[in-house]
Amino acid sequence: MNRRTGARPLLIGLAVLLTAILVVAPLVFIFVQALSQGWAVYAKNILDPLTLHAIWLTAAVAVVVVPATVAFGIAASWALAKFSFPGRGVLATLIEIPFSVSPIIAGICYLLLYGRQGLLGGWLAEHDIAILFALPGIILVTMFVTAPFVVREVLPLMRAQGSDQEQAAVTLGASGWQLFRRVTLPNIRWALLYGAVLATARAVGEFGGVAVVSGNVRGQTNTLPLHVELLFNDLNAVGAFAAATTLTLIALVALVVKAVLEGRR
Amino acid sequence: MTIDISSMHKSFGQTEVLRGIDLSVDKGELVALLGPSGSGKTTLLRIIAGLEWPDAGGLHVDGQDWLALSAAQRRIGFVFQNYALFPHMIVRDNIAFGLTVRPRAERPDRRRIAATVDELLHFLQIDALGGRYPAQLSGGQRQRVALGRAMAIEPTVLLLDEPFGALDAAVRRDLRRWLRGVHDATGTTTIFVTHDQEEAFELADRVVVMGAGRIEQIGNADRIHDHPASPFVAGFMGATIELPVTIRAGRAGTALADTARLPAQALADGPARMFLRPEDVAPAADPAGPWQVASLSSTGPQIRLILRDTAGTEIPADLRRRAPGAAALTPGTRVQLHPEAAAIFPADA
């Protein structure tokens, strides 16, 4: 009993201390640095056309990628949870690959596939289609990286629920679409939103994979995380940290939304 | 609706779950499919519903080929074992679901749907629950809602999978009587699946006993109880004690029991198997008897004996504690059996 009561405050204290050192302090430091020369300089840096373009580009990528990830997540979960077919286990494993592979590998794969010397590079160049060092490349790599996020949340839930409710809806005369919209979707909505929030956070913050395929052209293919790195390399610390605050704020909002959703589930 | 099922077969992978089912159900009949798990009864029910398809065989309802229809087109009312209510809809919306998903041309208007739901809630005696979510209901209430949802579409046939499986004993008895009342009031042809004999016999007009993918016997309680059609039915109906006998001139004989009180059997001479219920064993003290009382336990009104023969075979015997001669049956007493009822089958059955 004595040992337990002694260990408890110690463990809690350690956890709080480590969280403070490893997580809270760097976060606070971002804001301290960004505002170190006052609000006016901060605003000037945020409103810099190149930074604004990076914010816009990042948002555009997320707007395209997240709905695609959600659609893919629903389709894949549905197929894996409600049907049995040859290769089901393989498909389930394949979907998890982006989790286990470093994003930079994904970037390099796309480079090998779509690059000038790549498998499809010649054909793409002939038809004047730019994938690498352009928006499509960034979107594709981000999609790859975020692909498992929704499946991971939705699939276990669908598996646990089984298909009795869907079968009940079918016997009551529901069409495929009515069944999906009125029975399946409401049952997975919180898991779906939760997965979408996580995917958004990841899509916005993706660095490694995008770094390989974007080409880092300022004002054109520079997403926010890449822009932060460029500014930092330019020794523009305030600019870098100012840009970083927008990323941090997006992450914090995502966290709050996630916490709220977890409460709803 | 008259349902006709003919030589139906179904396998899941290597497992044959239905091995040639022939069954007719008359209009307005209430039929129970009774059998242990794995007997194929639920699969048969799901095939009638259109949730599974047979590998071979026919399914005709009022002459129409139902295997050519989808589940939705058959317009059956299916009540799932775990109810499968929609958890995000209140009771009213659950019940109205089947009406609201109809194509616009066939869909009743809002007021008609609301009126139908009111009627059903009243009929099912759950008027006050319309605004609740399924999670806020007890098991018995959920069962009623599930039935209401199935009945709202005015089904051609009502199919229930283990309708009382998840409920406690008292609620089961109530709901059984209530369901019988619902059936008598609506006259809908109804088939339900159960593994509980009491439930099947109390509720159904006719009971279909299934075992290992085949129909073993069809009949009412008395018929199936007194004249089981096969060793399987005998065992399933509680005649779990099996003793070897020899048939000679229509009489069964064995050293292990006095069979003089058993009626004559229409069986050829030769070895046979006799099945007894523990309550039909009728043991009596007899110094020359082949059995010895090994142990005794009492539940108050009843006592259960475990009897052992010289070969070490043990059988249970149940009798009333106050029955004449019961007091003499103490452990160690030698006894003879004087059964009056038994099911006897040829040794190769």
Side-chain angles (χ1 to χ4, degrees):
Chain A
M1 199 65 202
N2 258 337
R3 268 169 58 204
R4 272 173 66 195
T5 48
R8 224 170 100 123
L10 187 71
L11 278 175
I12 294 174
L14 260 176
V16 170
L17 188 69
L18 284 174
T19 310
I21 294 173
L22 296 175
V23 180
V24 179
L27 272 181
V28 172
F29 190 67
I30 291 173
F31 288 90
V32 170
Q33 280 293 313
L35 296 168
S36 60
Q37 291 174 33
W39 286 96
V41 180
Y42 175 79
K44 191 176 138 274
N45 273 295
I46 286 283
L47 296 175
D48 177 85
L50 293 179
T51 303
L52 281 181
H53 181 270
I55 292 173
W56 175 87
L57 181 65
T58 302
V61 168
V63 163
V64 175
V65 166
V66 173
T69 303
V70 166
F72 169 76
I74 294 172
S77 305
W78 182 291
L80 288 171
K82 316 267 177 187
F83 299 96
S84 89
F85 49 88
R88 188 165 75 151
V90 177
L91 180 61
T93 312
L94 278 177
I95 291 172
E96 294 273 305
I97 280 188
F99 265 139
S100 46
V101 157
S102 167
I104 205 156
I105 310 271
I108 289 169
C109 288
Y110 278 78
L111 208 57
L112 292 174
L113 198 57
Y114 300 113
R116 211 159 271 282
Q117 267 77 47
L119 280 175
L120 304 172
W123 186 87
L124 289 171
E126 269 172 38
H127 293 79
D128 225 10
I129 301 170
I131 288 188
L132 284 187
F133 315 121
L135 188 58
I138 300 171
I139 287 174
L140 283 174
V141 168
T142 313
M143 272 185 192
F144 175 88
V145 171
T146 56
F149 279 78
V150 171
V151 179
R152 259 229 165 155
E153 298 304 323
V154 173
L155 181 56
L157 190 66
M158 277 196 176
R159 280 204 173 126
Q161 285 172 346
S163 41
D164 277 1
Q165 284 180 43
E166 275 88 358
Q167 291 182 351
V170 166
T171 63
L172 291 166
S175 66
W177 170 246
Q178 286 173 325
L179 186 156
F180 175 72
R181 192 177 58 80
R182 300 195 44 190
V183 177
T184 309
L185 196 58
N187 273 327
I188 59 167
R189 61 194 162 181
W190 299 120
L192 197 62
L193 265 174
Y194 184 71
V197 168
L198 291 180
T200 308
R202 189 72 171 103
V204 168
E206 172 53 25
F207 180 84
V210 171
V212 177
V213 297
S214 91
N216 285 36
V217 186
R218 272 183 225 230
Q220 282 180 36
T221 63
N222 222 18
T223 62
L224 203 43
L226 301 181
H227 189 62
V228 171
E229 197 216 13
L230 277 186
L231 288 174
F232 202 73
N233 289 345
D234 292 347
L235 301 178
N236 180 356
V238 173
F241 280 109
T245 55
T246 49
L247 271 178
T248 311
L249 284 175
I250 293 171
L252 288 175
V253 168
L255 270 178
V256 169
V257 174
K258 169 181 164 290
V260 170
L261 288 179
E262 267 180 344
R264 296 294 301 257
R265 280 208 288 173
Chain B
M1 298 277 163
T2 314
I3 304 171
D4 269 300
I5 297 163
S6 52
S7 35
M8 190 167 279
H9 288 262
K10 171 75 179 174
S11 298
F12 290 114
Q14 298 292 313
T15 322
E16 240 189 316
V17 281
L18 296 180
R19 311 165 187 240
I21 299 286
D22 291 282
L23 178 67
S24 288
V25 177
D26 289 337
K27 184 172 166 36
E29 213 180 357
L30 177 52
V31 167
L33 301 178
L34 172 68
S37 50
S39 58
K41 56 191 192 305
T42 296
T43 304
L44 184 58
L45 195 77
R46 291 172 60 84
I47 288 175
I48 300 171
L51 297 171
E52 301 279 358
W53 253 257
D55 300 332
L59 170 62
H60 291 85
V61 175
D62 280 357
Q64 193 181 17
D65 180 8
W66 263 24
L67 294 180
L69 299 182
S70 70
Q73 289 169 325
R74 293 180 196 189
R75 210 197 247 200
I76 42 98
F78 198 100
V79 177
F80 288 78
Q81 185 170 7
N82 58 8
Y83 319 131
L85 296 176
F86 306 127
H88 54 281
M89 296 180 199
I90 59 171
V91 166
R92 294 192 68 91
D93 294 342
N94 263 285
I95 292 177
F97 185 87
L99 299 174
T100 57
V101 295
R102 287 203 184 150
R104 197 170 299 266
E106 301 169 31
R107 195 188 309 158
D109 64 38
R110 237 170 238 280
R111 291 229 314 278
R112 279 290 309 282
I113 291 179
T116 306
V117 171
D118 282 333
E119 244 169 68
L120 276 166
L121 286 172
H122 184 68
F123 180 65
L124 302 172
Q125 299 156 23
I126 45 174
D127 307 68
L129 304 179
R132 299 230 196 133
Y133 284 93
Q136 300 167 312
L137 303 178
S138 72
Q141 292 168 336
R142 282 179 208 178
Q143 175 61 269
R144 287 167 194 245
V145 175
L147 190 66
R149 185 177 66 177
M151 286 170 59
I153 61 170
E154 291 173 5
T156 51
V157 178
L158 199 55
L159 305 170
L160 304 101
D161 185 8
E162 295 277 0
F164 313 112
L167 303 170
D168 59 56
V171 180
R172 285 173 94 114
R173 273 193 300 277
D174 281 355
L175 271 182
R176 230 184 266 163
R177 225 167 294 138
W178 170 83
L179 183 62
R180 181 73 228 191
V182 168
H183 175 264
D184 292 344
T186 61
T188 309
T189 309
T190 303
I191 303 178
F192 73 99
V193 154
T194 181
H195 62 266
D196 183 325
Q197 300 166 28
E198 199 190 318
E199 194 167 291
F201 290 124
E202 186 179 326
L203 195 49
D205 299 322
R206 214 152 48 109
V207 172
V208 177
V209 183
M210 292 184 67
R214 288 202 177 84
I215 291 180
E216 296 277 345
Q217 191 169 5
I218 302 178
N220 63 18
D222 295 353
R223 179 89 205 147
I224 293 174
H225 189 272
D226 292 350
H227 303 283
S230 64
F232 170 84
V233 178
F236 185 67
M237 293 303 299
T240 48
I241 302 163
E242 182 183 346
L243 297 175
V245 294
T246 308
I247 304 288
R248 202 157 289 137
R251 313 285 319 180
T254 172
L256 293 169
D258 159 28
T259 54
R261 291 203 264 170
L262 289 178
Q265 305 291 320
L267 290 173
D269 286 4
R273 303 158 74 188
M274 178 168 77
F275 293 86
L276 289 173
R277 292 195 177 77
E279 67 267 28
D280 290 337
V281 165
D286 182 344
W291 302 89
Q292 194 167 22
V293 177
S295 68
L296 181 154
S297 55
S298 171
T299 61
Q302 288 271 2
I303 53 173
R304 161 157 286 204
L305 307 173
I306 302 295
L307 306 178
R308 188 184 293 144
D309 72 357
T310 45
T313 310
E314 292 192 341
I315 61 168
D318 293 339
L319 65 165
R320 280 192 306 115
R321 187 162 60 90
R322 296 203 171 115
L329 299 169
T330 50
T333 314
R334 299 208 71 84
V335 298
Q336 178 58 291
L337 319 180
H338 304 279
E340 287 181 49
I344 301 177
F345 299 97
D348 53 5

